[in-house]
Amino acid sequence: VWELLYWRVPGQSALALVGVLGTLGCLTQFSAVSVGAYGALAVLGVTLPLRLHRAALRALRQRPPEHPCRVQPDRAVGLSPEEQQRWARCLARHITAATHTLARLFLVHSLPESL
């Protein structure tokens, strides 16, 4: 942050200044919710094509897969029954917590929290 404030890296500092001034200019005309939503959409619009491009390049450079019967694993594949039960309990705990949180947010138990 200090490099941006003291203009030690002028290119990044100028980009940050333009971003902040652009955001403030948009806030004078539009609501904070719409500025935030369009900002998030702009970030997504830039990052999604880059991610898809990387995935396409990785898929094109991929070597042909080896025959599955040719490679034998050195150790047993799978989980013991105790590990399966432990993972199932952990997964059930996470699903219950997520369901409880989503129900509380969507049913507006607390207005500031839902906002």
Side-chain angles (χ1 to χ4, degrees):
V1 174
W2 293 110
E3 285 87 16
L4 293 176
L5 289 176
Y6 290 123
W7 287 77
R8 291 187 182 137
V9 184
Q12 291 178 355
S13 295
L15 187 62
L17 179 66
V18 167
V20 168
L21 290 178
T23 303
L24 290 175
C26 289
L27 283 173
T28 62
Q29 298 294 320
F30 306 107
S31 70
V33 172
S34 59
V35 171
Y38 281 117
L41 187 61
V43 169
L44 184 64
V46 170
T47 57
L48 186 63
L50 292 175
R51 177 76 173 154
L52 291 174
H53 182 260
R54 280 185 54 198
L57 287 178
R58 193 176 317 126
L60 292 175
R61 286 190 216 146
Q62 193 175 37
R63 290 178 278 140
E66 294 184 14
H67 195 274
C69 296
R70 192 170 296 172
V71 179
Q72 297 293 327
D74 294 341
R75 61 181 180 89
V77 178
L79 298 174
S80 68
E82 294 83 18
E83 288 180 284
Q84 290 176 1
Q85 288 178 356
R86 186 174 55 88
W87 281 102
R89 273 186 257 127
C90 182
L91 181 63
R93 204 173 24 240
H94 285 299
I95 289 174
T96 303
T99 305
H100 179 68
T101 302
L102 288 174
R104 192 179 72 241
L105 291 177
F106 283 113
L107 296 177
V108 191
H109 287 270
S110 170
L111 186 63
E113 191 176 23
S114 293
L115 289 176

